[in-house]
Amino acid sequence: MSRRSAPFVAPDYIDDPTSKDGKKHAKVLLSTLQEDIASFRDAQFPPDILRQVRDMPIYEGNLAEVKAYQQCWQTLLERAMAFYPAANLPPDYLPLPASLEIPQFIYHVQRLHLTKTHAKESKSFGSVGALTDKCGDYSADEIARMAAVFDNDDEARLVAHREFIDLRAYVFCRDNKGEMLEPERVRFYRTGLIVHALPNFKMIDSRQTPRKRRNDAYNNPLADNGVWKIYRKK
């Protein structure tokens, strides 16, 4: 299944985490964590004790090797979990945000299937000014069409879509009984992926043939600057 990331939560050790000062303190601590991760990553990634899979930021090893490398990250992982306590926990098993750039560790992996697929980044806006700040310039006619949406409905929203080719891995693992589980779809290019490879581990590479684009619920954009297409949000 496709996964979002775990939500941010100000750590309990911050005084009054819901106050303005508490939120500011949390952001400073998160920024410090990100700097520490970047410094550690420069020194420890890619891992020397693991083997790279093809030309990808994917590294595989046996159980002892992967556990040893994860232990190197453990202090930073624990600090990150203070900000994202729901990460990798039921019922959703949402990952840490990719922006942290902490490698993803997956155990008991039997098979990897690399794919490219047509994907779409989406942003929503409550004003034309906010939209153009993020998405760039549009013609005068397009600006007028977007402005008319808000003129006629105070609660209207505009949605911007940017299409791109997304790289993903379908990860097939086995449970404690040795039975194959449903595949987990993972975005890994920014973080890196560390897998404990089972005997007869196999990698299938389908990157040369992007998966078919899904039908889009939005058609006939109000505006299109070659990067972002703009629609009235449904």
Side-chain angles (χ1 to χ4, degrees), residues 37-193:
I37 290 170
S39 177
F40 184 81
R41 188 180 173 94
D42 284 344
Q44 298 287 337
F45 190 90
D48 293 336
I49 62 174
L50 303 177
R51 293 161 291 283
Q52 186 173 15
V53 177
R54 301 287 178 89
D55 57 342
M56 295 284 95
I58 302 174
Y59 300 86
E60 59 95 0
N62 62 35
L63 182 60
E65 291 169 333
V66 172
K67 281 188 173 181
Y69 185 58
Q70 183 169 356
Q71 187 60 39
C72 295
W73 281 91
Q74 193 59 36
T75 299
L76 292 169
L77 281 166
E78 290 174 359
R79 287 172 61 189
M81 290 295 294
F83 294 97
Y84 303 93
N88 302 313
L89 296 178
D92 297 318
Y93 295 96
L94 299 175
L96 290 166
S99 59
L100 291 179
E101 298 191 0
I102 293 178
Q104 299 181 70
F105 294 85
I106 302 182
Y107 289 82
H108 309 292
V109 177
Q110 188 67 77
R111 187 166 77 247
L112 281 179
H113 186 182
L114 298 180
T115 69
K116 284 185 175 180
T117 185
H118 293 277
K120 180 178 60 182
E121 183 179 359
S122 181
K123 300 177 182 290
S124 64
F125 301 93
S127 72
V128 175
L131 185 149
T132 55
D133 283 345
K134 294 291 186 180
C135 301
D137 296 330
Y138 292 87
S139 71
D141 287 344
E142 290 173 324
I143 294 291
R145 284 198 294 271
M146 291 189 285
V149 171
F150 297 113
D151 291 341
N152 296 326
D153 184 352
D154 292 339
E155 297 183 358
R157 302 279 293 179
L158 291 175
V159 61
H161 290 167
R162 180 182 68 86
E163 296 180 355
F164 63 99
I165 299 295
D166 192 19
L167 180 64
R168 299 174 183 175
Y170 288 80
V171 186
F172 295 78
C173 300
R174 294 190 182 276
D175 63 16
N176 292 333
K177 298 180 181 180
E179 297 180 358
M180 192 75 83
L181 300 171
E182 288 294 316
E184 181 178 352
R185 188 172 68 182
V186 178
R187 291 184 174 92
F188 65 90
Y189 205 81
R190 185 171 181 181
T191 62
L193 180 61

